[in-house]
């Protein structure tokens, strides 16, 4: 059995589907039980900020997909070890390799990875590029009109479909040869925000217009949505240039045998979300 944390999130939901479709028994960690059962999936409640609450979910788990950044990552991993988990696939981020503890986002990735390495459990780390699903954050603007005013207009990213990240995670959980490896899933192309908007406009059949949001306006908007230290972290990444997510890698193809989806393919698969 494989335990998937973040089982209702962008990657976790896709991973649960991939594993269940393959016939692998799956336990999905959730805060609340879903209204309807899902074939091949056992839902168990638990809280990653409370490692002791994970014991029922970990019972019988041979593999674990783990989200980063929780209060007591060593405690979570200790519970996994006591339960006999033999593989941990840890989601992290591309900035973790810098080791920059002054950046709040990088810091929690680094702390998470250090706990994993110190746990003594067999591990695989995933450091994906930006998610294509981040485009869903544009929905309020899309619902209001045809102009998308977006930050960091000059930053290229090789954005990746969360399902491709999940496919890499599934391979690392089920197949040999991934222990002690850091994988870097990316999409197959490096696009500017304006180029993503143009693709989305074509897919949706809308005359969308892109506008570059000035940094001061973006900072003010983001400050209303997240702690200031995280705003500073993203400006460090994308304005100061401390994180380069523009590099296209062959990781998804190499590990899964299937090419990663393009942004167009992702958008076509999620048209209903933009309706």
């Amino acid at each position: 059995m494989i335990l998937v944390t973040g089982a209702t999130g962008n990657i976790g939901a896709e991973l649960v589907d991939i594993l269940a479709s393959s016939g692998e028994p799956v336990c999905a960690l959730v805060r609340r039980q879903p209204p309807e059962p899902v074939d091949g999936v056992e839902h168990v409640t638990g809280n990653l900020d409370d490692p002791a609450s994970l014991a029922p979910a970990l019972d019988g788990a041979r593999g674990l997909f783990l989200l980063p950044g929780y209060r007591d990552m060593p405690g979570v991993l200790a519970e996994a070890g006591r339960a006999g988990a033999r593989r941990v696939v840890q989601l992290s981020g591309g900035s973790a390799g810098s080791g920059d503890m002054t950046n709040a986002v990088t810091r929690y990735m680094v702390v998470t990875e250090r706990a994993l390495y110190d746990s003594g459990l067999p591990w695989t780390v995933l450091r994906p590029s930006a998610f294509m699903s981040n485009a869903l954050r544009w929905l309020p603007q899309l619902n209001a009109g045809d102009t998308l005013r977006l930050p960091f207009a000059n930053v290229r990213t090789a954005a990746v479909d969360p399902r491709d990240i999940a496919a890499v995670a599934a391979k690392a959980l089920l197949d040999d040869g991934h222990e002690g490896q850091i994988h870097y899933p990316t999409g197959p192309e490096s696009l500017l925000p304006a180029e993503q908007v143009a693709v989305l406009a074509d897919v949706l059949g809308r005359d969308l217009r892109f506008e570059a949001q000035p940094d001061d306006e973006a900072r003010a908007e983001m400050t209303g949505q997240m702690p200031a230290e995280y705003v500073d972290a993203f400006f460090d990444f994308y304005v100061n240039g401390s994180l380069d997510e523009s590099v296209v890698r062959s990781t998804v193809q190499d590990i899964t045998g299937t090419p990663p989806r393009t942004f167009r393919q992702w958008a076509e698969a999620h048209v209903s979300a933009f309706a």
Side-chain angles (χ1 to χ4, degrees), residues 102-178:
T102 67
N103 180 298
V105 173
T106 302
R107 182 169 62 247
Y108 80 72
M109 299 295 185
V110 170
V111 169
T112 293
E113 288 193 18
R114 287 178 180 171
L116 180 67
Y117 305 148
D118 291 342
S119 71
L121 292 168
W123 58 264
T124 306
V125 168
L126 305 185
R127 294 180 183 171
S129 59
F131 298 176
M132 291 178 181
S133 55
N134 289 346
L136 294 172
R137 297 173 184 170
W138 306 343
L139 279 171
Q141 293 189 65
L142 287 167
N143 290 335
D146 291 327
T147 298
L148 287 172
R149 191 173 174 86
L150 304 176
F152 314 130
N154 297 319
V155 176
R156 288 188 173 275
T157 58
V160 61
D161 186 337
R163 189 168 182 88
D164 287 328
I165 304 171
V168 171
K171 287 291 187 180
L173 286 162
L174 300 177
D175 296 350
D176 295 331
H178 299 276

Side-chain angles (χ1 to χ4, degrees), residues 103-105 152 215-216 218-239:
N103 180 298
V105 173
F152 314 130
D215 287 345
D216 57 348
R219 180 178 282 277
E221 183 177 302
M222 292 169 67
T223 299
Q225 300 169 345
M226 66 184 75
E229 63 176 355
Y230 289 152
V231 177
D232 290 340
F234 288 116
F235 270 76
D236 180 45
F237 290 155
Y238 300 127
V239 175

Side-chain angles (χ1 to χ4, degrees), residues 18-60:
I18 290 170
L19 292 171
S21 297
S22 74
E24 179 68 29
V26 184
C27 180
L29 185 73
V30 294
R31 295 292 185 106
R32 292 176 296 276
Q33 289 286 342
E36 299 291 338
V38 178
D39 288 345
V41 181
E42 176 187 7
H43 291 87
V44 179
T45 56
N47 183 350
L48 284 166
D49 276 327
D50 178 11
S53 75
L54 304 178
L58 284 163
D59 185 28

